[in-house]
């Protein structure tokens, strides 16, 4: 099974991906996590992409596709994409990749959440820079204030979760990523899920949609 999670910044892609990858034994690929790890490890990739992330702009397609191809080269499990593809060109490249392996995308799950709700979520998000676990100060805080439940690391506010960068990311989403809704609707594998409920209900709705689609 190969799945894509699509939606606004803050729509819950990362939150759902970590549960779904476990539940369905899928390989979770978050391009955002890959870039943030590279930035924190100060690699050449990190230096190249850092300015794009801190400004809330998309990393150029070629760079993203090179990273994805490297990650997928040896992977045999089903794939769960979180934050990729993000442009129509990236989506076309992914289609070609699957076609070359006689595979396809079983479902594109669109997490439908209001713009005001995602802005509020991102402002109160905290993340673990070590294991990438996602928290929310209002709805899913850590047990010990400021520390990751899973690994004990100090939680951070992502650099791109500052109000001015959130606004830019939403504009970039509308301009460059929203066209993917029409693209995947045209391919027939698009599924809309109400992403505004609590995380467990959203997971249940996704599982139900996958069952109906028989994937
Ligand atoms: P990326 O890391 O992919 O960020 P994003 O798409 O902007 O999405 P987020 O990670 O902010 O949100 P999310 O949907 O994962 O929500 P989350 O689960 O955390 O990309 C970052 C940057 O990297 C980009 O701006 C770009 O520069 C670059 N990049 C990455 N991929 C790229 C690509 N393919 N091409 C080009 N550039 C790329 O949840 C958010 C908050 O809400 C959390 O606090 C969470 O606890 C809470 N929450 C989650 N679900 C619920 C719920 N159901 N109810 C209440 N609260 C909830
Ligand atoms: Mg995310």
């Amino acid at each position: 099974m190969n799945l894509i999670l699509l939606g606004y910044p803050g729509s819950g892609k990362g939150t759902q991906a970590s549960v779904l990858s476990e539940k369905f034994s899928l390989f979770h690929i978050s391009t955002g996590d890959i870039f943030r790890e590279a930035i924190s490890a100060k690699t050449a990739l990190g230096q190249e992409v850092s300015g794009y992330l801190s400004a809330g702009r998309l990393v150029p397609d070629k760079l993203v596709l090179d990273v994805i191809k490297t990650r997928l080269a040896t992977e045999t499990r089903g794939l769960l994409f979180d934050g990729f593809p993000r442009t129509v060109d990236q989506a076309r490249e992914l289609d070609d990749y699957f076609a070359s392996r006689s595979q396809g995308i079983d479902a594109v799950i669109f997490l439908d959440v209001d713009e005001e709700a995602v802005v509020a979520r991102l402002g109160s998000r905290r993340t673990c820079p070590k294991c990438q676990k996602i928290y929310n100060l209002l709805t899913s805080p850590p047990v010990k204030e400021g520390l990751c439940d899973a690994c004990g690391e100090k939680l951070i506010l992502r650099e791109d979760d500052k109000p001015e960068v959130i606004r830019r990311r939403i504009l970039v989403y509308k301009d460059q990523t929203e066209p993917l809704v029409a693209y995947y609707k045209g391919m027939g594998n698009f599924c809309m899920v109400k992403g505004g409920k609590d995380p467990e209900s959203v997971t249940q709705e996704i599982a139900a949609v996958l069952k109906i689609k028989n994937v």
Side-chain angles (χ1 to χ4, degrees), residues 152-164:
E153 187 76 10
K154 202 163 174 251
L155 301 180
I156 56 157
L157 174 72
R158 261 170 53 175
E159 210 186 332
D160 60 352
D161 279 347
K162 292 174 187 153
E164 65 280 12

Side-chain angles (χ1 to χ4, degrees), residues 46-66:
Q47 280 171 13
E48 208 167 343
V49 301
S50 159
Y52 294 103
L53 272 84
S54 56
R57 296 183 186 279
L58 292 188
V59 172
D61 285 343
K62 177 162 184 337
L63 198 48
V64 179
L65 290 162
D66 286 348

Side-chain angles (χ1 to χ4, degrees), residues 81-168:
F81 292 98
D82 154 14
F84 176 88
R86 241 177 162 101
T87 63
V88 171
D89 282 347
Q90 289 180 15
R92 289 204 181 105
E93 287 275 350
L94 187 62
D95 287 341
D96 291 348
Y97 169 83
F98 280 126
S100 73
R101 308 183 142 226
S102 307
Q103 286 186 10
I105 299 159
D106 296 285
V108 178
I109 314 278
F110 176 74
L111 298 173
D112 187 26
V113 185
D114 292 344
E115 187 175 324
E116 310 83 76
V118 297
V119 171
R121 283 182 185 182
L122 290 174
S124 52
R125 172 168 62 185
R126 295 294 180 274
T127 51
C128 175
K130 196 168 165 197
C131 73
Q132 313 295 339
K133 196 167 161 54
I134 301 162
Y135 298 86
N136 193 284
L137 297 181
L138 306 176
T139 53
S140 53
V143 176
K144 281 192 197 153
E145 197 184 327
L147 297 179
C148 178
D149 296 346
C151 70
E153 187 76 10
K154 202 163 174 251
L155 301 180
I156 56 157
L157 174 72
R158 261 170 53 175
E159 210 186 332
D160 60 352
D161 279 347
K162 292 174 187 153
E164 65 280 12
V165 189
I166 292 174
R167 277 195 295 277
R168 160 70 54 198

Side-chain angles (χ1 to χ4, degrees), residues 10 12-15 30 33 36 82 125 134 158:
K13 301 182 296 295
T15 302
S30 159
D33 284 350
R36 282 183 290 277
D82 154 14
R125 172 168 62 185
I134 301 162
R158 261 170 53 175

